[in-house]
Amino acid sequence: MLLDKRGGPYASPYAGLGGLPSVIPDIPICAVFLALYIGFAATNMTILQINRRRNHKFLISGMLFGFCMARITTLVLRIAWANRQHNVRLAIAANIFVNAGVLLVYIINLLLAQRILRAKQPRIGWNPGLRVAYKILYALIAGALIMVITSIVVSVYTLDKHTQSQCRDVQLAAITLLLVITCLPILHLLVAFLFPRSEQEESFGKGNMTAKVIIVALSSALCILIAGFKAGANWSSPRPVTNPAWYDAKAPFYVFNFVLEILILCLLTFSRIDKRFHIPNGSTQPGDYTRLGLQLDKGAETDQVPDSVEMKNSA
């Protein structure tokens, strides 16, 4: 009654993805995923630090670490919610983190696809107009996140049907935008390979381009599946808590969120994207992947010369 007098938060009368968590089976399942995310967080932070000591800058490993930490927080909140099922504030925080954490992976896929496009089609990939478009796109991703968070919070602090309907419309717009964004890396790959081959084509990182394309395509496909499931579930008519749809059950929730995300982490971490997708620091225009890369190679060779000369002198 005290919450009602203060104007909320109010428990939603509609079924949500994953339903209401309980001690069994949610806590054991969350504990398993928690251990996996902790392992991937430690692995990616180790890769980041080792590369940093070698002057091998690859911040995407740090982004993967950040994603794992966000998912660790998500699972901790869900475990806490399972122990306090009637705590609406815990439910709000848990739902916000479920929607927010995966955005980092969407951005990572876009960055990797961008590097392929710039290598295969430098004139298109380095076009100033496209750079502006990327900045707008990142602003839209941030805006979508803010829209989701705001609409979720507002909807649970009001009983006004019109306001709740407007919050739902905002959430649908944001979720649909994120689904479109997950498709953009595939569009990058199509432009890179369907357009006539450029004479200025470059290479970057280790490994062949085919392997790079497969990594980005698979990761993007998994992200499309995740975003598509969320969009489809949210666009469907809301069901009451007493009569949830199949997609509101626990199994689809864990499969279409955490299982697919773990597969993405396996793909991006074990394929060593820090080596395959590394580009020279300071690349800002066509030719920099090759030109700056050669300078780095020469610098490494120069660093090794004094050692060889010193060995001869000592001999």
Side-chain angles (χ1 to χ4, degrees), residues 6-276:
R6 292 180 177 178
Y10 306 104
S12 175
Y14 302 110
L17 296 180
L20 185 66
S22 55
V23 174
I24 301 296
D26 288 87
I27 290 182
I29 294 174
C30 288
V32 172
F33 284 115
L34 193 60
L36 290 172
Y37 282 112
I38 290 173
F40 277 108
T43 301
N44 281 287
M45 178 50 69
T46 301
I47 292 173
L48 179 67
Q49 293 302 324
I50 291 175
N51 285 333
R52 184 183 63 83
R53 290 169 190 162
R54 295 174 177 173
N55 202 26
H56 180 92
K57 185 178 180 182
F58 194 78
L59 297 181
I60 293 177
S61 294
M63 294 176 67
L64 287 174
F65 170 78
F67 165 64
C68 292
M69 294 305 296
R71 275 298 176 246
I72 290 169
T73 304
T74 304
L75 291 165
V76 169
L77 287 171
R78 190 164 179 84
I79 290 173
W81 183 17
N83 284 285
R84 295 174 176 81
Q85 293 184 329
H86 301 292
N87 191 319
V88 181
R89 289 183 176 85
L90 268 178
I92 297 169
N95 286 326
I96 287 174
F97 270 91
V98 166
N99 290 296
V102 75
L103 296 184
L104 281 174
V105 179
Y106 297 169
I107 295 173
I108 288 172
N109 285 336
L110 191 58
L111 291 173
L112 299 182
Q114 182 189 65
R115 294 182 180 186
I116 293 176
L117 177 62
R118 286 176 170 175
K120 298 293 291 184
Q121 302 288 343
R123 290 185 178 179
I124 299 175
W126 292 105
N127 187 282
L130 195 58
R131 291 186 183 183
V132 175
Y134 285 131
K135 293 179 180 179
I136 295 173
L137 187 61
Y138 295 141
L140 288 175
I141 294 175
L145 176 59
I146 294 171
M147 288 164 61
V148 169
I149 293 174
T150 304
S151 60
I152 289 176
V153 173
V154 171
S155 66
V156 298
Y157 276 90
T158 182
L159 295 176
D160 183 76
K161 297 297 182 183
H162 178 66
T163 303
Q164 290 179 345
S165 177
Q166 289 180 321
C167 289
R168 172 175 162 77
D169 291 341
V170 170
Q171 291 178 41
L172 291 177
I175 290 172
T176 304
L177 173 63
L178 293 177
L179 175 59
V180 172
I181 289 172
T182 60
C183 299
L184 293 181
I186 301 295
L187 180 61
H188 278 63
L189 297 181
L190 291 176
V191 172
F193 288 92
L194 294 183
F195 275 54
R197 185 171 181 176
S198 173
E199 296 179 355
Q200 298 176 326
E201 184 176 325
E202 298 183 85
S203 62
F204 63 93
K206 294 185 178 180
N208 57 52
M209 185 62 72
T210 302
K212 296 180 177 69
V213 171
I214 291 174
I215 290 169
V216 174
L218 287 177
S219 181
S220 299
L222 291 172
C223 284
I224 291 171
L225 193 56
I226 293 171
F229 172 77
K230 291 180 179 179
N234 280 276
W235 272 99
S236 301
S237 299
R239 303 280 289 269
V241 174
T242 55
N243 184 30
W246 69 268
Y247 46 78
D248 293 319
K250 297 181 188 299
F253 172 77
Y254 285 111
V255 169
F256 284 95
N257 283 284
F258 304 117
V259 171
L260 295 183
E261 288 176 2
I262 291 296
L263 291 177
I264 293 172
L265 281 171
C266 288
L267 176 64
L268 298 182
T269 303
F270 297 140
S271 66
R272 296 305 303 269
I273 60 171
D274 60 299
K275 294 183 178 180
R276 293 181 184 275

